[in-house]
C-alpha cells in the first residue's frame, strides 16, 4: 500500500523538518505541506517563512498557509490533492473538518511518553521536573489535545546535565524515525493501537509564559538547576538583578550546583574571583551563562569583566 499513500504533512518549526525530510528520503509521496502563515521577525520585522515552508519549497512541494483551518477554500485545496493520510508534527490543534478528512486518518508526533506531559511544552517540562527518562509518541488525533489512540512510542534517557535544547535535538531525530516507522505500519496495515481513555497522568506540559519562567530563589538548588537547563536556550529562565539602585531583568541559561558551607539569603550574590554564585532556598548555584538587557548571551566571567557588582546586589 506504500505506493497508494498520498500524505499531507503539517508542521512549522525545525523540529518538524526532520520528520518531513525522513519521509521524503523513505520514498513517500507528499504532494502538499500545510504550515503557518509567514510572520514578521527580526529587527526589520520582515515577513519570514516557517522552516517547514522553506524546506518544502526547496523540494518542489506545494505549500498551503491557511489563517483559518476551517476556511472552505483551504479544505477544498486539501481535498484536491486526494490525500489519504495526514502527518502532524509541531503544528496547531486541528478541527474535526481537517483531521477526519483522510481515509487512513491523521496522526501526530508528540515529544513525550503519553499520557505524561500532554500540552505545548513537553520537552521543557520534563527537564524542569527533573525527569530521567522521556521519549516520543505517535497517536491518532481526536477531538481533545494529545488524547488519541497511541500507535508507537520510543523511550530515551535524559542526561543529568542535558538542557532542553540538547534534548530537543535528540528527540527531533528520534521522532523522525518514529514517524517513518508509523507510516510504514499504516502502509502495511500493521497497526495495534491502544486507547488513552483509561490512562491518566498528573504530569502536564502547559504553555510557557513569563510567570512560569521566572526563577524563585527560595526554591531548592536542584530544582532551580533543573529549571534553568529546562528553559535553555529558549525561552530562558529569568530573574531581576538589583544592582546600583536599578532593577533589570536577566536571563539565565547555564548554572551548576555549588558547594559553599554557609547558607546565604535566597537571591544573595557572591563573587569569588571570576566566579558568580547565587544563594537558593537550601544552598548555592554557580551562574555560568546569562544575558543582561540589550546584550548578547555571555559567560558569567565575561559579564563580570564589565559589571562591578556591589555587596548589596542581588537577584529577586
Amino acid at each position: 500500500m506504500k505506493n497508494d499513500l498520498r500524505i499531507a504533512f503539517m508542521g512549522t518549526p525545525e523540529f518538524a523538518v526532520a520528520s518531513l525530510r525522513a519521509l521524503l528520503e523513505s520514498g513517500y509521496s507528499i504532494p502538499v505541506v500545510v504550515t503557518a502563515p509567514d510572520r514578521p521577525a527580526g529587527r526589520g520585522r520582515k515577513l519570514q517563512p516557517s522552516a517547514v515552508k522553506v524546506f518544502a519549497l526547496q523540494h518542489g512541494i506545494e505549500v498551503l498557509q491557511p489563517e483559518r483551518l476551517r476556511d472552505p477554500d483551504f479544505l477544498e485545496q486539501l481535498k484536491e490533492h486526494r490525500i489519504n493520510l495526514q502527518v502532524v508534527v509541531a503544528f496547531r490543534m486541528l478541527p474535526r473538518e481537517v483531521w477526519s478528512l483522510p481515509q487512513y486518518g491523521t496522526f501526530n508526533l508528540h515529544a513525550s511518553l503519553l499520557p505524561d506531559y500532554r500540552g505545548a511544552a513537553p520537552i521543557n517540562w520534563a527537564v524542569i521536573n527533573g525527569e530521567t527518562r522521556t521519549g516520543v509518541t505517535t497517536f491518532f488525533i481526536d477531538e481533545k489535545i494529545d488524547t488519541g489512540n497511541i500507535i508507537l512510542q520510543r523511550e530515551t534517557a535524559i542526561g543529568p546535565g542535558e538542557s532542553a535544547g540538547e534534548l530537543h535535538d535528540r528527540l527531533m531525530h528520534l521522532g523522525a524515525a518514529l514517524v517513518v516507522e508509523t507510516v510504514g505500519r499504516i502502509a502495511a496495515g500493521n497497526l495495534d493501537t491502544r486507547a488513552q481513555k483509561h490512562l491518566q497522568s498528573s504530569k502536564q506540559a502547559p504553555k510557557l509564559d513569563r510567570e512560569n519562567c521566572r526563577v524563585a530563589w527560595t526554591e531548592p538548588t536542584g530544582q532551580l538547576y533543573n529549571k534553568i537547563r529546562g528553559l535553555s536556550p529558549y525561552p530562558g529562565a529569568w530573574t531581576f538583578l538589583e544592582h546600583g539602585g536599578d532593577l533589570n531583568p536577566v536571563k539565565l541559561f547555564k548554572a551548576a550546583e555549588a558547594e559553599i558551607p554557609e547558607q546565604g539569603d535566597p537571591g544573595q550574590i557572591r563573587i569569588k574571583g571570576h566566579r558568580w554564585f547565587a544563594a537558593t532556598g537550601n544552598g548555592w548555584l554557580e551562574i555560568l551563562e546569562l544575558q543582561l538587557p540589550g546584550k548578547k548571551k555571555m559567560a558569567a566571567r565575561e559579564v563580570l569583566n564589565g559589571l562591578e557588582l556591589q555587596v548589596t546586589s542581588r537577584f529577586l
Side-chain angles (χ1 to χ4, degrees):
M1 194 175 80
K2 180 174 179 177
N3 294 333
D4 174 54
L5 287 182
R6 291 179 60 80
I7 300 170
F9 185 89
M10 302 182 179
T12 297
E14 194 65 37
F15 187 89
V17 172
S19 293
L20 178 55
R21 177 186 290 110
L23 287 171
L24 287 176
E25 291 176 350
S26 298
Y28 289 106
S29 173
I30 306 177
V32 64
V33 155
V34 183
T35 191
D38 296 358
R39 303 294 188 198
R43 290 187 178 180
R45 305 304 291 166
K46 293 182 179 179
L47 289 177
Q48 298 292 327
S50 72
V52 163
K53 177 181 179 178
V54 171
F55 181 87
L57 292 179
Q58 288 171 345
H59 291 78
I61 305 172
E62 182 177 340
V63 175
L64 301 179
Q65 297 176 273
E67 288 283 355
R68 296 185 304 108
L69 293 176
R70 289 189 171 92
D71 187 313
D73 290 338
F74 162 65
L75 294 173
E76 191 56 39
Q77 287 176 302
L78 206 51
K79 291 174 184 177
E80 287 174 359
H81 286 283
R82 297 180 287 110
I83 297 303
N84 53 20
L85 176 66
Q86 291 177 153
V87 178
V88 181
V89 181
F91 197 51
R92 46 184 157 154
M93 186 176 180
L94 301 182
R96 173 181 282 274
E97 293 92 326
V98 176
W99 63 256
S100 64
L101 192 61
Q103 176 186 355
Y104 302 121
T106 301
F107 78 83
N108 185 76
L109 172 70
H110 189 72
S112 79
L113 297 173
L114 292 174
D116 287 348
Y117 296 107
R118 290 175 176 147
I123 298 174
N124 302 93
W125 285 106
V127 178
I128 290 169
N129 290 340
E131 300 287 357
T132 58
R133 304 198 70 79
T134 187
V136 286
T137 302
T138 52
F139 67 95
F140 282 115
I141 290 179
D142 62 11
E143 291 91 346
K144 297 181 181 179
I145 297 176
D146 303 333
T147 60
N149 287 1
I150 292 173
I151 307 170
L152 294 172
Q153 292 186 312
R154 291 292 177 271
E155 188 175 313
T156 187
I158 301 176
E162 192 168 24
S163 70
E166 293 164 337
L167 180 60
H168 168 281
D169 292 349
R170 288 202 302 110
L171 293 182
M172 177 172 67
H173 296 295
L174 186 65
L178 193 67
V179 164
V180 172
E181 184 178 351
T182 300
V183 173
R185 293 280 188 96
I186 292 171
N190 180 25
L191 287 180
D192 184 19
T193 63
R194 58 192 178 98
Q196 286 196 68
K197 290 181 180 178
H198 64 289
L199 301 175
Q200 300 297 325
S201 176
S202 60
K203 300 174 180 179
Q204 301 299 312
K207 186 176 180 179
L208 296 171
D209 57 32
R210 184 168 173 79
E211 188 57 37
N212 59 28
C213 289
R214 184 174 181 179
V215 173
W217 292 99
T218 53
E219 292 181 350
T221 303
Q223 195 168 319
L224 292 181
Y225 168 71
N226 288 338
K227 184 164 192 171
I228 291 169
R229 69 187 180 100
L231 294 170
S232 178
Y234 182 83
W238 74 279
T239 184
F240 282 113
L241 173 62
E242 187 177 34
H243 169 63
D246 295 326
L247 201 61
N248 293 306
V250 174
K251 285 192 173 184
L252 306 176
F253 295 100
K254 193 173 182 181
E257 298 185 51
E259 293 290 338
I260 296 180
E262 66 272 20
Q263 178 61 45
D265 181 39
Q268 176 186 342
I269 290 173
R270 177 175 293 185
I271 305 300
K272 291 188 174 183
H274 292 286
R275 300 174 70 184
W276 182 333
F277 300 89
T280 70
N282 67 346
W284 295 82
L285 272 179
E286 180 174 4
I287 307 303
L288 299 175
E289 193 173 71
L290 69 159
Q291 184 176 20
L292 299 177
K295 304 290 185 180
K296 65 179 182 178
K297 187 190 305 183
M298 301 172 68
R301 62 180 180 276
E302 294 178 275
V303 174
L304 290 174
N305 288 335
L307 183 69
E308 293 186 8
L309 293 176
Q310 303 165 353
V311 175
T312 55
S313 298
R314 62 183 296 108
F315 287 129
L316 295 175

